[in-house]
Amino acid sequence: MLRAEVSAQQSNTSAVEAEHSTSQSSDISDNTSVTQNIENVEENERDFLTAKQWLARLTEATQSLNYQVSFIQSRAGSETIPYLWRHGVLEDGTTVEQLNLQNGPGRELIRVGNVVSVFEPDVPPYSLYSASINGPIPSQLLYNPRALTKSYKFIKVGRARVSGRSAQHIRIVSLDNSRFSYQLWLDEASGMLLKFNMLDLNGNLLEQIQVTSLSIQKEPHPYFARVNQATLPQPMVITPSQPRKHHWEVDYLPRGMKEVKRDIRRLALTGQIVEYKMFSDGLVDVSVYVQMADDAIGADMVLRHDVNTFLTLTDGQAQVTVVGEIPLNTANAIATSLSMHRPDSNG
């Protein structure tokens, strides 16, 4: 999963207007009969579920239930961003989903089956093939948490109370202490996510996603009946390009992190052409940019913006920039592990 942060705006070009206002007060409710149906794990049995089993419940609930969720994303020193998230399963088994920002003129994503349509201002609507909407909540956590066990340990902490609901508290800790840690709280009745925190190495809160309203129903929300699928943009067919061979590698990566993309890019600030690779563990993406030292502009630099670290280092051969939601020490370890090799090398 490539985690993408959606800008804090609400779409004025959406196929259907989302007629809903978000309140930051707690307003979490269920249809009683539906709640009884989904509580297939008795209360005393839930006490014995492991952390991984709770994550499996989260995946099942996220994929199979009809729900409407309002949540807010907050970071220290930044404006709180409210979202509306809906999911439904139609009579023919097709899954549908909507993610809509509740502030500004901005952006809406609608998924029907494996096609996601994007509506945002000043950009023609477009569609892409995808089995999930890419939003603030990491899709790997929601849909394939087992893949994260190569990088993280899941620790069941115990019961808690979130937004007036009984919840299970689970910690997610990096196996090699090279990344930030996470906390999540899952609704005991349904398995749905209620809260998700990102913490730095000292345990300080970096980012929080807090559910303020959760409604689970028998039928999909009426919103989906108003979506005219025939008017949605046709999905773009993207032919995979042959990965360009780069004559450098990073010899250190956090445990479980692997390369997911490589390309040649032009830096927006300087206009320089650089080689680029993206690495991911499913929760965190790290971008590495490399150019020859003779072409480099600017000195070594360290910046923190929100939860991202920006680190630029230059040696005799190359300038390397590392960007990602990782601690500074980890960014430095990646940057200083850069190795160059000749174009005719077998590496």
mmCIF file with all atom_site columns, all heavy atoms in Angstrom, residues 58 208 259 268 335:
data_model
loop_
_atom_site.group_PDB
_atom_site.id
_atom_site.type_symbol
_atom_site.label_atom_id
_atom_site.label_alt_id
_atom_site.label_comp_id
_atom_site.label_asym_id
_atom_site.label_entity_id
_atom_site.label_seq_id
_atom_site.pdbx_PDB_ins_code
_atom_site.Cartn_x
_atom_site.Cartn_y
_atom_site.Cartn_z
_atom_site.occupancy
_atom_site.B_iso_or_equiv
_atom_site.pdbx_formal_charge
_atom_site.auth_seq_id
_atom_site.auth_comp_id
_atom_site.auth_asym_id
_atom_site.auth_atom_id
_atom_site.pdbx_PDB_model_num
ATOM 1  N N   . LEU A 1 58  ? -10.861 -7.036 12.291 1.00 0.00 ? 58  LEU A N   1
ATOM 2  C CA  . LEU A 1 58  ? -10.898 -5.719 11.655 1.00 0.00 ? 58  LEU A CA  1
ATOM 3  C C   . LEU A 1 58  ? -11.022 -5.858 10.145 1.00 0.00 ? 58  LEU A C   1
ATOM 4  O O   . LEU A 1 58  ? -11.849 -5.188 9.507  1.00 0.00 ? 58  LEU A O   1
ATOM 5  C CB  . LEU A 1 58  ? -9.633  -4.933 12.012 1.00 0.00 ? 58  LEU A CB  1
ATOM 6  C CG  . LEU A 1 58  ? -9.372  -3.650 11.218 1.00 0.00 ? 58  LEU A CG  1
ATOM 7  C CD1 . LEU A 1 58  ? -10.456 -2.616 11.492 1.00 0.00 ? 58  LEU A CD1 1
ATOM 8  C CD2 . LEU A 1 58  ? -7.996  -3.080 11.548 1.00 0.00 ? 58  LEU A CD2 1
ATOM 9  N N   . GLN A 1 208 ? -3.058  11.391 14.990 1.00 0.00 ? 208 GLN A N   1
ATOM 10 C CA  . GLN A 1 208 ? -4.177  10.617 15.525 1.00 0.00 ? 208 GLN A CA  1
ATOM 11 C C   . GLN A 1 208 ? -5.341  10.631 14.545 1.00 0.00 ? 208 GLN A C   1
ATOM 12 O O   . GLN A 1 208 ? -5.656  11.661 13.955 1.00 0.00 ? 208 GLN A O   1
ATOM 13 C CB  . GLN A 1 208 ? -4.645  11.178 16.864 1.00 0.00 ? 208 GLN A CB  1
ATOM 14 C CG  . GLN A 1 208 ? -5.795  10.396 17.496 1.00 0.00 ? 208 GLN A CG  1
ATOM 15 C CD  . GLN A 1 208 ? -6.160  10.931 18.865 1.00 0.00 ? 208 GLN A CD  1
ATOM 16 O OE1 . GLN A 1 208 ? -7.031  11.792 18.990 1.00 0.00 ? 208 GLN A OE1 1
ATOM 17 N NE2 . GLN A 1 208 ? -5.491  10.423 19.896 1.00 0.00 ? 208 GLN A NE2 1
ATOM 18 N N   . GLU A 1 259 ? 11.692  -2.470 -1.905 1.00 0.00 ? 259 GLU A N   1
ATOM 19 C CA  . GLU A 1 259 ? 11.483  -1.516 -2.997 1.00 0.00 ? 259 GLU A CA  1
ATOM 20 C C   . GLU A 1 259 ? 10.151  -1.798 -3.680 1.00 0.00 ? 259 GLU A C   1
ATOM 21 O O   . GLU A 1 259 ? 9.840   -2.941 -4.024 1.00 0.00 ? 259 GLU A O   1
ATOM 22 C CB  . GLU A 1 259 ? 12.609  -1.627 -4.017 1.00 0.00 ? 259 GLU A CB  1
ATOM 23 C CG  . GLU A 1 259 ? 12.472  -0.659 -5.184 1.00 0.00 ? 259 GLU A CG  1
ATOM 24 C CD  . GLU A 1 259 ? 13.587  -0.799 -6.197 1.00 0.00 ? 259 GLU A CD  1
ATOM 25 O OE1 . GLU A 1 259 ? 14.734  -1.089 -5.791 1.00 0.00 ? 259 GLU A OE1 1
ATOM 26 O OE2 . GLU A 1 259 ? 13.299  -0.627 -7.404 1.00 0.00 ? 259 GLU A OE2 1
ATOM 27 N N   . ALA A 1 268 ? 10.786  19.597 -7.865 1.00 0.00 ? 268 ALA A N   1
ATOM 28 C CA  . ALA A 1 268 ? 9.957   20.783 -8.080 1.00 0.00 ? 268 ALA A CA  1
ATOM 29 C C   . ALA A 1 268 ? 10.699  22.068 -7.720 1.00 0.00 ? 268 ALA A C   1
ATOM 30 O O   . ALA A 1 268 ? 10.561  23.085 -8.403 1.00 0.00 ? 268 ALA A O   1
ATOM 31 C CB  . ALA A 1 268 ? 8.675   20.670 -7.263 1.00 0.00 ? 268 ALA A CB  1
ATOM 32 N N   . ALA A 1 335 ? 20.607  6.804  4.304  1.00 0.00 ? 335 ALA A N   1
ATOM 33 C CA  . ALA A 1 335 ? 21.389  7.700  3.446  1.00 0.00 ? 335 ALA A CA  1
ATOM 34 C C   . ALA A 1 335 ? 22.866  7.313  3.432  1.00 0.00 ? 335 ALA A C   1
ATOM 35 O O   . ALA A 1 335 ? 23.512  7.310  2.367  1.00 0.00 ? 335 ALA A O   1
ATOM 36 C CB  . ALA A 1 335 ? 21.221  9.144  3.907  1.00 0.00 ? 335 ALA A CB  1
#
